[in-house]
Amino acid sequence: MTDNDQLPDPRGAIKDPDEWVTGDEPPTAAQESYLHTLAREAGEEVPDDLTKAEASRRIDELQEETGRGR
């Protein structure tokens, strides 16, 4: 297999949440649900006023804390 034959990364492009065009919008329903699940497992509270980008960063932190995800 040559470099030109490589398949694209199935995870897609990973972009820093600070660079998201929609990062200042409210979190998606999926983010809210997963964030609350992770927070419950970690014994943490979720602030009500998070942006989509902040929710993404918090999810990453809680995944590390709980051992979920990556």
Side-chain angles (χ1 to χ4, degrees):
M1 182 183 232
T2 67
D3 286 358
N4 292 340
D5 295 330
Q6 290 182 344
L7 297 174
D9 186 339
R11 297 171 296 158
I14 299 174
K15 195 173 189 180
D16 186 322
D18 289 330
E19 297 176 14
W20 293 355
V21 174
T22 60
D24 59 346
E25 293 179 3
T28 65
Q31 280 182 307
E32 291 261 346
S33 176
Y34 190 44
L35 182 56
H36 282 16
T37 298
L38 290 170
R40 187 173 47 252
E41 288 180 8
E44 307 258 340
E45 294 291 320
V46 177
D48 291 330
D49 59 347
L50 292 179
T51 65
K52 191 182 290 188
E54 291 168 334
S56 177
R57 283 192 291 279
R58 191 66 185 124
I59 286 169
D60 288 345
E61 292 167 359
L62 288 170
Q63 281 180 326
E64 285 288 321
E65 193 174 319
T66 63
R68 279 186 166 234
R70 304 172 190 186

